[in-house]
Amino acid sequence: MQRLSPHLSCGAILLACATAGGAGAAPAIFDLYAGSFSGSGTILEGPDATSHQVGCRFEILQQGATGLSLQGTCRAYLILTRTVSARLSWDPGSGQVTGTYTGSRVGTAKLTGRQRGTDFDLAIEWPRPLYGDTTARMRVASLDQKRFQIVVTDRIGANGPVRATTDLTLTRQ
């Protein structure tokens, strides 16, 4: 499938970055982000950054004491599907989250970031330019015990505006 935004898939994966807190904070963060989730939202796609509705389903599993993995699918127009996966780990010494995301049309992305309370501020580094550059920002925000939001922002075009390329709200199933 070539039409789903690579940002959409990446956005859901970064939920796994919830392991980025202090040693005592990790279990509470795992409780917020580990589990089965589904949701919907909008993505921007193509050179004109056209907005599309999308739905996603994910399983987020704890990997040892300091990691999470995500497996899932995102669907647009009920016929186009993309498989998404990510593996992330948390360094309790530095509080840094690192990992990879697989599922983008431009290749495997590197993920880095930090926990801010129950939210996450993350950087995405694409292996090739996407919308004119190789970087984007992601914010993963807990809305309550059962829901969280993923917003990815990127510059559209070399000198264009910074816009939300993914805006999803996911709910625990």
Side-chain angles (χ1 to χ4, degrees):
M1 182 179 114
Q2 300 168 345
R3 300 300 297 167
L4 284 180
S5 169
H7 291 256
L8 167 70
S9 308
C10 185
I13 288 164
L14 294 176
L15 304 176
C17 290
T19 59
I29 297 299
F30 282 135
D31 289 345
L32 286 175
Y33 293 100
S36 297
F37 293 87
S38 66
S40 61
T42 59
I43 61 167
L44 299 184
E45 179 57 36
D48 297 327
T50 305
S51 180
H52 300 284
Q53 290 292 313
V54 66
C56 300
R57 296 180 82 59
F58 295 100
E59 185 71 27
I60 303 171
L61 302 171
Q62 185 172 343
Q63 300 292 302
T66 61
L68 289 172
S69 68
L70 178 138
Q71 290 282 323
T73 57
C74 291
R75 191 175 283 249
Y77 306 116
L78 300 174
I79 57 172
L80 302 175
T81 302
R82 174 167 288 161
T83 299
V84 178
S85 67
R87 293 185 72 75
L88 290 125
S89 63
W90 164 65
D91 179 342
S94 68
Q96 187 80 17
V97 175
T98 59
T100 58
Y101 153 70
T102 304
S104 166
R105 64 182 162 92
V106 297
T108 300
K110 293 180 186 178
L111 308 172
T112 58
R114 298 190 82 68
Q115 177 184 347
R116 308 277 187 240
T118 58
D119 300 346
F120 300 89
D121 183 25
L122 305 163
I124 303 166
E125 183 180 337
W126 303 109
R128 294 188 322 233
L130 181 67
Y131 294 122
D133 61 14
T134 58
T135 61
R137 299 297 307 174
M138 175 179 291
R139 177 95 172 142
V140 179
S142 174
L143 301 174
D144 57 39
Q145 290 288 0
K146 295 185 179 190
R147 297 178 310 135
F148 62 89
Q149 182 179 35
I150 302 168
V151 178
V152 176
T153 56
D154 199 355
R155 183 170 306 282
I156 307 300
N159 297 312
V162 173
R163 294 178 54 194
T165 57
T166 298
D167 188 345
L168 297 174
T169 299
L170 299 166
T171 303
R172 182 179 306 280
Q173 300 301 294

